[in-house]
Amino acid sequence: MLDVVVEDLTFIYPGAVVPALNGVSLKVPPGSALLLHGETGSGKSTLLGCLSGACPAFSGGTITGRVEIGGRSPQAMTPAERVRRIGVVYQDPEAQQVHSTVAREVAFTLENLGVPPREMEWRVAEALAMVGLSDRAEDAVASLSGGLRQRVALAAALVHQPAVLLLDEPASQIDPVAAEELWDVLRRLRDDFSITLILSEHRIDRLYGWVDQVAVMEAGRVAATGSPREVAAWLCRTSPAQAPVLARLRSRPGAPDHPEEDMAPALTVREVRQRIGPAAGTPPPGSDGPGGQSGAPPNRLIAPATAPSVRSGPLARGPATPDILVGLDRATVVYSGGVRALDECTAALVRGRVTAIIGPNGAGKSTLLRALAGAVPLSGGRVTGARGHVGPVGPGEPGVPAGPGAVRIAFLPQNPNDLLSQETVAEELGLALRLQGVDRRRVEQAVAQAAEAFGITEWLGRHPRDLSGGERTRVALAALSAAAPDLFLLDEPTRGLDPLQKQSLGRWLRASGRTAAVATHDLDFVAEFADAILFLDRGRVALAGTPAEVFGQALWFAPVVARALRGAAPGVLCLADAVAAGWAR
Amino acid sequence: MAGPSARRQPPHPLAIGLCALTWVVVVESLSSWPVLALMCAGAVGLQWRDGGGNSRPGRAAAGWALPFLLLYVAIGSLFGTVSETVWWRGPHLPGLGTLVLGPESLEAALVRGLRLWNLLVFLSWFGQVVRPDDITHWLGRRFARAGLTVQMVIGFVPQLLRERERVEALLRLRAGNPTGGIRMRVRHLAVVYQTLLMNGLERAWTLAESMYTRGYGGPGRTQYRPPRWRRQDSGVAAGCALALALAVWSGLGRASGWEQGLAAAIPVVAGAWMGGRRVA
């Protein structure tokens, strides 16, 4: 059991003028969990790098101040000493993989430490058992899902029994179900083995419920630190958009925020429902708005499927006879090995509306997007709607409506890096147009417009790869929008985005008025910004409807606000709904 | 619950290497085309089974081997040496000689073709069966770093190929198919490879940092589960030694048909056994 002490830590990357960390001080008691919470680029990863010893030994740069793990500075430790004390898990499990099989990958650190082979056997077996992968020891790492790969990385970081485990956005590349499993494992590591955990993450809602401390980072400084409840209360006062969603909910619509001193913000669904009390099943008196659907039966877990959404105005739009831009009719996609990714799937995207595609892992969400883009051959069925050309139009026509039946498509893959190849953001934004032969003046115009729309004008001269993950996603989206597409197909666009960036993405999507299909696990985003939902399972649309219809029926596949207010405010699905109905500030 | 594959003991890397060496030597030493044809069929069978009959390499090996073999033999047989029996005499080609077709030239072309396609199909199968850890083992402790590098490169190549396909498709969606001649095609290709290069460099950086934090580079490195030489491996080694002896015998022109058949059968059987253990 080792404690972690950081005092007045400042770190500057080579060639940088502004320090990435500036006077950071923290103290993490042994066997506790600290969450580093902050916007993209606030210095979380750099702090973890300083704790792991990678900064400055690996990255270069200048470090001042004090960093100690168990009384020793990681920068002064020998490699063996450092490795024995510290385990590290990074964002991308694929990028940190050295060996091809699970057991061998987990044993890598032990091999480096010169542990005798006989001792390695039980250590590897134990580490795999800790993360629930005992039966996959001989499997190829490449054959595992993203969530399981991240568990392999976790086992590899635990196999040498470190006292401190550092995790840099470990759930950013995996779906929420796998993330839940990961949190369970981490919680057990802290509770049962007293491992000190320090992790950074954007999906904070679940973490606030069980970590011991939270440090809010802003521009390389620690803006606030304390227990999750204290920090949540502080965020609710100073920066509500960053606060955990549940902490912003009230016990009844229009109730003053925390009237009594002891009413600290709730951090779990259970706490919210306990505070709502009997009202959790009873409509709040006098609220005939969407937050209080009068007539809802008490203690009803499943809201009526017809419960209308709180939305009004532009959010509630929807033509009586839908104008289908593009769709699939009994489409089947079979991958090599006989995997039926789509199985006679019928789906349609209504012009000008945002359609969310949700469902469990492997349900076929990404394949559905690719099929709509015409990027995967169909074994059966057909693409409907766009009778003519699907794809980008010829040169000289950006901003000009496509010809009859033609649809210009913008496809954002899960990994935005696949779209980033240029030296500057400005060149990246204009790439598609330049390749289409558009003249320079029009390219510059389109670039300026796209940069302004996404608020990235100040990055135009920067290298896209110098930006953080969330920032790269914004650049990729801006680059796609510069070519004025008719249809956006976005695969997990909120991955790696902080709450503010998610909000701005959703608002831009709505304001653009374009047709969009968004495959995502982010149900809060769906609840707030989607007009329609397609719930996919085993390659077919198992459920379709508005967010109110789908989330009113689903238990697991429901956003956290809908879960917390189920029964009390059936039509309230997301934070925006809750704010509109007076359930949140 | 452990499946049947989990209970099987995998072959030793050296046994696999010996089997590969034997296959190559036997193929090069055999002179009987029926035996070579049977061995080639064995290689196609192994590739079909272990490479996945429905997979791209499986289909390619099985589907393309015969047509290309026939084409190779058809062309090769015209460039044989002149012998007693000549079925057909063609025109004289400057620099290549006169085209001549006879039984000897046909047989020689058939043997050459069968050798070539035998080795190609075998290597395709071998690529499916051999594991990166085997390569590390072959290079030994002295070249352990080189072994690990080769191992990572081997893992990286298929990933790179998949990535290239993906990036190309994304660029086509984003900017359309390249039009306007070779210049635009080159520009498209440059964008694809620039993306791949940047992704590769970033991945390499992350991997290097991960290896650093996991203590790579220190002295006294050990190996997890070093492969054990078992009785089954001794059996493979003995069989391969016999096949090699028969191959040398055959190379000297003294082996009978059944001796050549035995020399061919041993690596095929050893390969079938080892491939079953690895891929199952």
Side-chain angles (χ1 to χ4, degrees):
Chain A
M1 297 215 321
L2 299 176
D3 64 340
V4 177
V5 178
V6 178
E7 259 183 32
D8 201 22
L9 174 66
T10 298
F11 182 81
I12 306 177
Y13 280 106
V17 180
V18 182
L21 294 176
N22 196 352
V24 171
S25 295
L26 285 170
K27 196 166 183 182
V28 189
S32 65
L34 167 73
L35 168 66
L36 298 174
H37 176 188
E39 289 178 24
T40 305
S42 58
K44 303 186 295 292
S45 297
T46 307
L47 177 56
L48 290 173
C50 290
L51 290 169
S52 73
C55 293
F58 189 79
S59 63
T62 312
I63 188 169
T64 56
R66 185 174 150 227
V67 184
E68 283 185 2
I69 292 181
R72 295 263 295 145
S73 164
Q75 283 72 25
M77 292 177 196
T78 62
E81 196 182 356
R82 193 186 68 238
V83 172
R84 283 185 199 283
R85 289 180 185 222
I86 308 165
V88 189
V89 178
Y90 295 91
Q91 287 181 25
D92 184 358
E94 198 177 358
Q96 53 193 305
Q97 177 197 330
V98 179
H99 287 293
S100 55
T101 54
V102 170
R104 192 81 206 276
E105 173 66 13
V106 171
F108 181 68
T109 308
L110 300 177
E111 292 179 329
N112 295 333
L113 289 171
V115 173
R118 190 170 293 178
E119 195 180 330
M120 278 192 223
E121 291 274 346
W122 68 262
R123 281 183 183 246
V124 169
E126 189 181 61
L128 288 174
M130 280 166 94
V131 299
L133 286 177
S134 296
D135 55 340
R136 311 298 294 266
E138 294 305 320
D139 287 7
V141 182
S143 69
L144 305 180
S145 67
L148 292 184
R149 281 190 197 192
Q150 196 56 295
R151 279 206 259 165
V152 173
L154 183 59
L158 289 170
V159 71
H160 53 293
Q161 300 180 348
V164 177
L165 190 58
L166 308 173
L167 304 107
D168 190 0
E169 296 186 25
S172 67
Q173 306 283 322
I174 58 181
D175 67 82
V177 179
E180 289 288 327
E181 290 169 2
L182 185 67
W183 303 148
D184 286 344
V185 174
L186 291 179
R187 213 166 155 172
R188 223 172 53 234
L189 291 175
R190 180 198 59 178
D191 296 345
D192 295 354
F193 309 109
S194 295
I195 292 177
T196 307
L197 302 175
I198 302 179
L199 69 157
S200 68
E201 187 55 50
H202 284 309
R203 294 184 202 170
I204 51 160
D205 286 302
R206 283 291 186 181
L207 294 172
Y208 264 71
W210 65 268
V211 296
D212 303 293
Q213 269 193 83
V214 177
V216 179
M217 298 199 66
E218 278 176 14
R221 293 174 181 274
V222 174
T225 180
S227 72
R229 223 172 284 279
E230 287 167 353
V231 172
W234 180 81
L235 283 171
C236 285
R237 283 195 307 275
T238 59
S239 175
Q242 280 207 68
V245 169
L246 293 175
R248 294 176 63 183
L249 295 182
R250 296 182 171 117
S251 54
R252 60 181 192 279
D257 300 324
H258 316 308
E260 295 122 30
E261 282 300 311
D262 60 345
M263 281 295 275
L267 299 178
T268 62
V269 169
R270 183 185 165 87
E271 282 179 9
V272 172
R273 295 184 69 82
Q274 278 172 347
R275 285 180 188 189
I276 294 171
T282 316
S287 88
D288 53 359
Q293 298 296 319
S294 50
N299 294 320
R300 181 170 173 172
L301 261 181
I302 310 292
T306 52
S309 167
V310 292
R311 290 170 190 164
S312 59
L315 291 181
R317 65 212 154 106
T321 49
D323 174 14
I324 306 295
L325 178 70
V326 66
L328 296 177
D329 180 26
R330 297 171 69 86
T332 299
V333 174
V334 182
Y335 288 130
S336 62
V339 179
R340 287 176 90 84
L342 288 184
D343 188 8
E344 299 197 352
C345 178
T346 298
L349 303 182
V350 178
R351 194 181 295 273
R353 294 178 71 178
V354 178
T355 303
I357 301 163
I358 65 170
N361 259 354
K365 299 189 290 292
S366 298
T367 308
L368 175 57
L369 288 187
R370 293 178 65 204
L372 286 167
V376 60
L378 300 183
S379 309
R382 63 194 180 100
V383 179
T384 58
R387 287 187 302 277
H389 171 87
V390 175
V393 291
E397 300 186 56
V400 177
V407 176
R408 271 192 294 259
I409 290 174
F411 189 100
L412 179 77
Q414 286 190 13
N415 183 358
N417 289 343
D418 287 347
L419 293 180
L420 304 178
S421 61
Q422 301 299 295
E423 295 291 316
T424 64
V425 170
E427 286 175 26
E428 196 64 70
L429 263 52
L431 175 69
L433 299 179
R434 287 201 310 278
L435 288 176
Q436 289 172 22
V438 176
D439 68 80
R440 191 195 290 179
R441 196 178 52 80
R442 287 178 64 188
V443 171
E444 282 170 2
Q445 259 178 5
V447 167
Q449 279 172 5
E452 201 183 327
F454 282 84
I456 58 170
T457 308
E458 64 196 54
W459 302 343
L460 284 176
R462 292 182 65 184
H463 198 296
R465 303 272 176 161
D466 284 343
L467 304 172
S468 68
E471 291 167 344
R472 290 182 192 191
T473 303
R474 282 167 73 185
V475 170
L477 273 167
L480 292 173
S481 75
D486 307 302
L487 170 63
F488 278 96
L489 300 171
L490 311 178
D491 201 353
E492 296 286 357
T494 61
R495 193 177 268 192
L497 297 187
D498 61 40
L500 291 172
Q501 291 173 339
K502 267 195 244 182
Q503 284 288 321
S504 62
L505 167 66
R507 289 201 183 110
W508 177 84
L509 212 51
R510 309 275 336 177
S512 73
R514 304 261 169 74
T515 312
V518 183
T520 183
H521 283 103
D522 192 333
L523 301 178
D524 296 292
F525 182 83
V526 172
E528 191 163 350
F529 297 109
D531 295 302
I533 297 177
L534 301 175
F535 184 109
L536 233 64
D537 183 43
R538 284 174 289 172
R540 286 182 185 209
V541 176
L543 179 64
T546 64
E549 287 165 351
V550 173
F551 292 143
Q553 296 179 67
L555 271 179
W556 177 256
F557 281 92
V560 67
V561 172
R563 287 189 210 178
L565 298 181
R566 196 180 291 274
V572 176
L573 303 175
C574 59
L575 199 59
D577 292 351
V579 170
W583 279 95
R585 89 196 90 162
Chain B
M1 201 173 80
S5 62
R7 287 195 297 273
R8 288 178 175 181
Q9 298 299 335
H12 195 277
L14 288 180
I16 292 179
L18 187 61
C19 175
L21 177 74
T22 307
W23 193 296
V24 174
V25 172
V26 166
V27 165
E28 283 304 314
S29 65
L30 292 180
S31 55
S32 160
W33 70 263
V35 175
L36 274 169
L38 285 173
M39 203 176 174
C40 199
V44 170
L46 287 181
Q47 170 60 38
W48 183 261
R49 186 195 68 172
D50 299 334
N54 212 17
S55 71
R56 193 183 289 182
R59 282 199 308 270
W64 290 100
L66 188 62
F68 271 99
L69 173 67
L70 293 176
L71 188 67
Y72 183 91
V73 172
I75 296 171
S77 60
L78 298 174
F79 293 96
T81 50
V82 179
S83 58
E84 287 178 3
T85 314
V86 175
W87 291 337
W88 176 78
R89 189 180 293 273
H92 179 81
L93 299 180
L96 293 173
T98 306
L99 298 181
V100 173
L101 179 65
E104 282 85 4
S105 70
L106 183 61
E107 187 175 351
L110 194 56
V111 168
R112 280 200 307 274
L114 283 167
R115 278 182 186 156
L116 178 64
W117 289 102
N118 201 322
L119 286 179
L120 287 176
V121 177
F122 169 76
L123 286 175
S124 170
W125 168 81
F126 192 62
Q128 306 283 324
V129 170
V130 80
R131 287 186 180 173
D133 284 353
D134 297 333
I135 297 165
T136 315
H137 193 85
W138 293 337
L139 289 169
R141 291 174 69 88
R142 192 176 172 80
F143 300 103
R145 285 192 179 208
L148 190 65
T149 309
V150 171
Q151 188 176 325
M152 288 194 295
V153 168
I154 287 173
F156 180 65
V157 168
Q159 193 181 348
L160 191 73
L161 294 175
R162 281 197 304 273
E163 201 172 322
R164 191 191 65 182
E165 215 167 284
R166 203 174 61 224
V167 170
E168 267 183 337
L170 285 170
L171 187 64
R172 272 200 303 275
L173 278 175
R174 188 177 168 190
N177 285 316
T179 51
I182 195 153
R183 196 171 143 264
M184 289 308 282
R185 281 175 200 277
V186 169
R187 279 184 74 182
H188 269 250
L189 267 184
V191 171
V192 170
Y193 284 103
Q194 226 165 305
T195 311
L196 292 180
L197 179 69
M198 286 180 177
N199 282 354
L201 287 174
E202 274 196 340
R203 202 177 296 120
W205 182 266
T206 311
L207 181 62
E209 188 178 339
S210 166
M211 289 171 77
Y212 170 82
T213 55
R214 292 165 77 184
Y216 182 70
R221 208 165 180 274
T222 48
Q223 192 189 346
Y224 173 69
R225 279 198 188 173
R228 282 174 55 199
W229 185 267
R230 298 168 200 278
R231 197 179 297 167
Q232 62 198 29
D233 300 308
S234 299
V236 170
C240 288
L242 175 63
L244 283 170
L246 287 170
V248 172
W249 192 247
S250 170
L252 295 173
R254 298 181 182 176
S256 61
W258 72 266
E259 283 167 335
Q260 289 196 37
L262 182 61
I266 289 172
V268 174
V269 172
W273 176 76
M274 284 193 284
R277 297 247 153 176
R278 271 295 161 88
V279 178

